[in-house]
Amino acid sequence: MMARDRIRLKHLQRQAEGYLELGMPQQALETLAKIGDPDSFGSHLLYLQGEALRSLQRYEEAIVSLEKAAEGDPRNIQIWLALGWCYKRCGRLESAIEAIQKALEVEPGEALLHYNLACYLSLAGQKHRAIRALARALKLDPHYRQLIDKEPDFDPIRNDPDFLALSSLVV
């Protein structure tokens, strides 16, 4: 690749990132289309494409891009988080759980991952595992306690005594 082409690619990548930061996913996709065939994208461009599609609620399409991105960059927890998000919205809870578990292999101390895992496990009817994951998230970052009451993903276990005991603890 010539220097001019690399500069153009970097410019378009930054432009797509900027559009995503501004909440303009359609423009990000249009910018990425200028780069060329998505089959030739590296992991980061595939991630950007997946994020744009996810923002447009085109979850199945986003999964395709994000799965390819994860293959190329399996240590990127943002890709796994985005995949989990999309899988959940496509009714693929087991895949969502697996995605978050893969992210936890990379960053076991990341509270957000434990919190998301607790949400997905709750929805999947795995109460004990959900409560353990939530307890871990709260231990790592007590601020997640503020989200519990408004989190609909916990509705399946909300009235469970173990869940109530955990969610009402004062830190």
Side-chain angles (χ1 to χ4, degrees), residues 43-100:
S43 295
H44 186 65
L45 292 177
L46 286 164
Y47 169 68
L48 294 176
Q49 183 180 46
E51 280 293 277
L53 292 164
R54 182 175 73 96
S55 294
L56 293 168
Q57 299 180 359
R58 292 164 53 185
Y59 303 123
E60 291 288 351
E61 293 173 79
I63 287 170
V64 173
S65 297
L66 293 168
E67 284 177 342
K68 290 177 185 174
E71 285 176 25
D73 189 4
R75 298 194 54 78
N76 185 329
I77 67 168
Q78 296 306 315
I79 295 171
W80 293 115
L81 275 167
L83 264 171
W85 174 276
C86 292
Y87 286 139
K88 174 195 170 198
R89 279 143 188 88
C90 291
R92 297 166 57 184
L93 285 175
E94 285 307 315
S95 294
I97 291 166
E98 288 173 19
I100 299 303

